[in-house]
Amino acid sequence: MANQNWFDFEKDIVELMDQLEKAKETHEMGKLDMTDMMATLENKIEEAKQTVYGNLSGWQKVQISRHPERPYTLDYIENIATDFIELHGDRQVKDDKAIVGGFANIEGKPFMIIGQQKGRNTKQRQLRNFGMPNPEGYRKALRLMKLAEKFNVPILTLIDTPGASPGLEAEERGQGEAIARNLLEMSVLKVPVICVVIGEGASGGALGIGVGDRVLMMEYTWYSVISPESCSSILWRTWEMKERAAEALKLSATDMLQNKLVDGIVSEPLGGAHHDPQAAYDSLKAAVLQSLGELEGMDPEDRIQERIAKFSAMGVVVDA
Amino acid sequence: MNLDFEDDDDLAGNGPKWYQRTWSGILTKTKDKKPTPDGLWEKCKRCKEVAPTKDWIVNHYVCGACGYHERVGSMEYFDILFDDNEFTEINANLSSGDPLKFTDSAPYTDRVVVAQRKTGLKDAVRTAHGKINGQPLMVACMDFNFIGGSMGSVVGEKIARAIDYSLATRSPFMMISKSGGARMMEAAFSLMQMAKTSAKLALLDRAGIPYISLLTNPTTGGVTASFAMLGDVNIAEPEALIGFAGPRVIRETIGRDLPKGFQSSEFLVEHGFLDFIVNRKELKKKVSTLLQIIWSQKQN
């Protein structure tokens, strides 16, 4: 089994897979012919998967988006691009390890790829600050975007953050200003900007690299103004209402597309990218190249006007 | 608790000896109390100095004794800024939809109605244009008493339209921020107002029209991380709380108390994110002088 971390709501699938494993063992030992049994079990597993993954709640999708084996930004870069040249630093304070970026080719097409990076073990998580950027991370991202604009290279951002870092130093160095500046500057970048939420899209920390001509969400990700846990703690004064908060926030890719707050969904292998990372890489690469195809022929000024018009149309007001 | 008193009975009964009254009956009788009629006097929330209400109004709700800036709303700011309190409000009737059918302990629509009834406002921002010392100005001013000045679709849309007005008439734009951040009950719709308002400000920037951002107590969250920090000139009232993350969240994250004055206007000036701090009494003069230098005299 490739993946050792299962969620509670996947237990039906896990039980059937254990049974299949045992059946295989018995079969291989040559004691009994289990071919029929194995086929039945495989069918059952497929059915169980359809049932479980076809009816995921908002909170369950949030859990999948945080699965420890889910591909992160550098995994995607390594597997969808070639010739990645990572560039470091904001030229002012330091190099923020929670945001990575650099030039690369995707199927021979040049890109500037920028994304939040999480860590896989304790040491890496600390290094990457759990994917929570500081102001210098947003300023590095902006520097790289301006660099891409200068050399007429399209931009791809990969969003995966539990939020911008809420620390003492972040405030001292102007976390709010850094994010605000990116929102303003990204809205008038002359090159195509494609943004994809690949994991968690938490609030301003996500939007800080998320203003693009195409904003896509991978199937099992979330994007909202606040995490379900924090929403629960503010509205109900407890973290225990997170499931309800996740429903109320309508934060899943399908909800976000329905509300016209994102432009499309990138499909993932059933149950999440970690079940078959290669399929997720292929899917993301195809979506990015398709978006680029739609955007690259446009006049830069038209593209900017369309980008601003799209965000300007977001919101529901009543004039009465 | 381990207090070392001579007589333990004092703790249980009448309290320690140093705590006992030497004579009783010092309560003022109700008929001897002097009532203070509402609306005649105001007490400073900080130094407790009492002053006649008319003095507070003349002082723009700044305490004459300690300089404390009492929190006021769009009505007061329009009066402070616009010549003879003459202005034209735009999009005054925009109010909130409920795109997500959001319900926590009460439905969002109910909360909006309650806030509207309580404040007499439609939402947490009002936008108006008028003259400031003879110069045209478009002002968007937030109201904190409407759901904590939170930014939902209406706030974003009204600010966006105010910037559109500035672009169309080539008049400077001023934003007065006072907000706890994005409005959770509109979830991602609220979030996208940050992008919307910032994108409009990018257009204003490209058109070379001045944008002055005044940050007042408090300005936090998604408002700080969008339009509030994007002024050509960023200014703030004294001792306002300004930040991205709230103090409580930061305290919980770092696990210790925050330094004194952290996230105050003065702190932000020191760290380079504000141009200057302005006393409310000087606000109109400072803003109009600045506009005269960078804008108005070039328009004729």
Side-chain angles (χ1 to χ4, degrees):
Chain A
M1 245 185 302
N3 141 45
Q4 301 295 318
N5 294 285
W6 294 93
F7 298 112
D8 286 348
F9 59 81
E10 291 173 314
K11 71 175 192 305
D12 290 353
I13 303 169
V14 180
E15 275 169 17
L16 288 166
M17 287 177 89
D18 284 347
Q19 286 179 28
L20 179 65
E21 203 76 2
K22 277 176 197 144
K24 271 187 186 160
E25 264 174 42
T26 319
H27 184 77
E28 273 156 23
M29 283 160 73
K31 282 182 189 162
L32 284 165
D33 183 6
M34 302 288 280
T35 323
D36 289 351
M37 178 73 163
M38 278 153 59
T40 319
L41 280 170
E42 268 164 14
N43 281 336
K44 277 191 178 168
I45 288 170
E46 207 46 45
E47 273 173 38
K49 279 184 175 176
Q50 297 289 351
T51 317
V52 170
Y53 299 131
N55 298 290
L56 290 171
S57 69
W59 174 245
Q60 287 166 342
K61 286 181 188 171
V62 171
Q63 287 177 287
I64 294 179
S65 79
R66 295 171 179 168
H67 194 282
E69 284 158 39
R70 206 177 156 78
Y72 295 149
T73 291
L74 285 172
D75 302 313
Y76 280 106
I77 293 176
E78 193 180 315
N79 289 285
I80 68 170
T82 52
D83 317 311
F84 179 55
I85 300 171
E86 188 175 352
L87 305 176
H88 294 273
D90 69 342
R91 296 294 186 269
Q92 294 174 61
V93 178
K94 55 156 70 157
D95 182 48
D96 187 347
K97 304 285 190 288
I99 286 191
V100 296
F103 288 113
N105 287 308
I106 302 178
E107 292 292 325
K109 289 194 175 277
F111 269 95
M112 165 58 75
I113 312 179
I114 298 165
Q116 284 111 353
Q117 179 65 33
K118 292 179 175 175
R120 293 233 179 262
N121 53 42
T122 309
K123 212 174 157 186
Q124 277 185 16
R125 284 190 194 106
Q126 281 175 341
L127 175 76
R128 303 293 182 186
N129 197 26
F130 306 90
M132 300 189 294
N134 274 298
E136 45 277 17
Y138 293 103
R139 293 185 181 123
K140 168 165 80 173
L142 182 58
R143 182 176 78 84
L144 300 189
M145 289 189 260
K146 290 286 201 180
L147 206 56
E149 183 182 46
K150 178 175 176 181
F151 298 111
N152 199 23
V153 173
I155 296 164
L156 168 64
T157 71
L158 302 176
I159 296 165
D160 188 11
T161 180
S165 184
L168 213 63
E169 288 84 5
E171 295 293 319
E172 284 176 350
R173 296 198 287 270
Q175 188 71 284
E177 195 275 343
I179 292 171
R181 186 66 51 200
N182 282 17
L183 304 183
L184 185 146
E185 296 287 353
M186 286 186 85
S187 63
V188 287
L189 283 168
K190 294 189 188 79
V191 291
V193 184
I194 301 162
C195 311
V196 189
V197 182
I198 59 165
E200 299 190 82
S203 198
L207 189 63
I209 57 166
V211 180
D213 302 298
R214 293 287 183 278
V215 180
L216 311 174
M217 286 176 75
M218 297 203 66
E219 198 174 340
Y220 303 100
T221 62
W222 68 274
Y223 195 4
S224 195
V225 75
I226 192 168
S227 72
E229 291 96 326
S230 303
C231 177
S232 162
S233 101
I234 292 172
L235 291 181
W236 289 280
R237 314 253 162 225
T238 159
W239 285 48
E240 294 314 308
M241 301 293 279
K242 53 191 185 287
E243 285 94 348
R244 194 165 152 198
E247 289 308 315
L249 289 167
K250 307 263 194 311
L251 42 62
S252 73
T254 34
D255 285 327
M256 288 291 284
L257 182 64
Q258 204 167 6
N259 286 325
K260 297 196 176 71
L261 297 172
V262 296
D263 303 300
I265 298 176
V266 181
S267 64
E268 286 185 39
L270 198 61
H274 56 284
H275 287 286
D276 183 0
Q278 190 55 49
Y281 302 142
D282 292 344
S283 183
L284 179 72
K285 189 203 264 186
V288 169
L289 291 173
Q290 194 200 325
S291 293
L292 182 69
E294 293 159 10
L295 295 166
E296 64 184 344
M298 288 175 75
D299 174 67
E301 190 55 31
D302 292 348
R303 211 163 36 218
I304 290 171
Q305 293 302 333
E306 240 179 58
R307 190 187 303 152
I308 293 179
K310 181 182 76 178
F311 281 97
S312 297
M314 292 176 186
V316 176
V317 298
V318 182
D319 197 351
Chain B
M1 209 155 61
N2 184 18
L3 298 174
D4 199 13
F5 288 113
E6 286 173 34
D7 188 353
D8 280 348
D9 288 346
D10 280 344
L11 272 177
N14 305 317
K17 289 195 173 70
W18 51 265
Y19 194 62
Q20 283 171 2
R21 283 178 175 147
T22 46
W23 41 285
S24 58
I26 51 167
L27 286 173
T28 314
K29 289 193 183 103
T30 308
K31 70 175 172 61
D32 296 332
K33 281 183 178 167
K34 291 185 178 63
T36 332
D38 271 355
L40 276 180
W41 299 89
E42 299 275 342
K43 187 158 127 188
C44 174
K45 286 206 178 69
R46 188 169 64 184
C47 75
K48 314 293 179 211
E49 177 83 4
V50 177
T53 301
K54 62 175 170 43
D55 289 2
W56 273 88
I57 295 172
V58 170
N59 273 332
H60 304 318
Y61 302 89
V62 176
C63 175
C66 74
Y68 175 75
H69 281 53
E70 178 75 71
R71 180 176 292 150
V72 294
S74 56
M75 193 178 83
E76 288 80 10
Y77 281 107
F78 288 164
D79 186 23
I80 291 165
L81 287 170
F82 290 123
D83 298 348
D84 306 318
N85 199 19
E86 276 177 24
F87 57 88
T88 310
E89 187 172 351
I90 62 169
N91 299 305
N93 289 324
L94 286 198
S95 67
S96 189
D98 184 18
L100 302 176
K101 309 274 174 283
F102 197 98
T103 300
D104 49 286
S105 51
Y108 173 47
T109 41
D110 289 2
R111 290 186 188 282
V112 170
V113 170
V114 168
Q116 285 176 338
R117 225 177 276 148
K118 199 182 81 186
T119 61
L121 300 161
K122 286 281 188 185
D123 212 290
V125 76
R126 284 170 73 215
T127 52
H129 55 86
K131 294 251 165 89
I132 164 170
N133 286 336
Q135 309 165 91
L137 182 68
M138 177 77 224
V139 181
C141 182
M142 303 188 82
D143 281 292
F144 192 77
N145 52 6
F146 195 99
I147 318 186
S150 56
M151 169 165 64
S153 299
V154 176
V155 169
E157 183 65 21
K158 283 174 90 166
I159 293 171
R161 291 192 195 181
I163 298 167
D164 283 342
Y165 177 91
S166 278
L167 280 164
T169 57
R170 291 195 67 77
S171 44
F173 177 60
M174 178 171 176
M175 181 76 224
I176 301 172
S177 298
K178 189 186 293 281
S179 170
R183 190 173 296 169
M184 222 175 344
M185 295 80 105
E186 290 188 38
F189 282 97
S190 298
L191 181 67
M192 296 308 165
Q193 304 312 308
M194 293 168 64
K196 180 201 276 190
T197 51
S198 303
K200 291 285 184 187
L201 286 172
L203 295 178
L204 199 67
D205 183 49
R206 293 215 297 190
I209 298 167
Y211 166 38
I212 294 165
S213 176
L214 172 69
L215 294 83
T216 70
N217 188 38
T219 299
T220 58
V223 168
T224 305
S226 59
F227 52 83
M229 274 293 163
L230 292 173
D232 293 311
V233 177
N234 291 337
I235 60 182
E237 288 186 346
E239 296 171 79
L241 172 75
I242 301 166
F244 174 68
R248 192 178 54 87
V249 174
I250 301 171
R251 208 179 299 122
E252 281 168 9
T253 307
I254 64 173
R256 58 190 154 95
D257 282 340
L258 303 173
K260 202 164 175 285
F262 182 67
Q263 295 186 311
S264 65
S265 311
E266 293 72 15
F267 175 91
L268 268 87
V269 171
E270 277 311 303
H271 286 88
F273 293 99
L274 295 175
D275 289 285
F276 58 85
I277 292 170
V278 61
N279 188 299
R280 204 179 281 156
K281 287 184 278 184
E282 303 290 320
L283 178 65
K284 180 171 181 172
K285 188 165 155 276
K286 277 252 178 156
V287 170
S288 65
T289 306
L290 180 65
L291 288 177
Q292 192 263 330
I293 294 167
I294 65 173
W295 185 252
S296 305
Q297 63 184 4
K298 283 183 284 184
Q299 305 306 306
N300 301 318

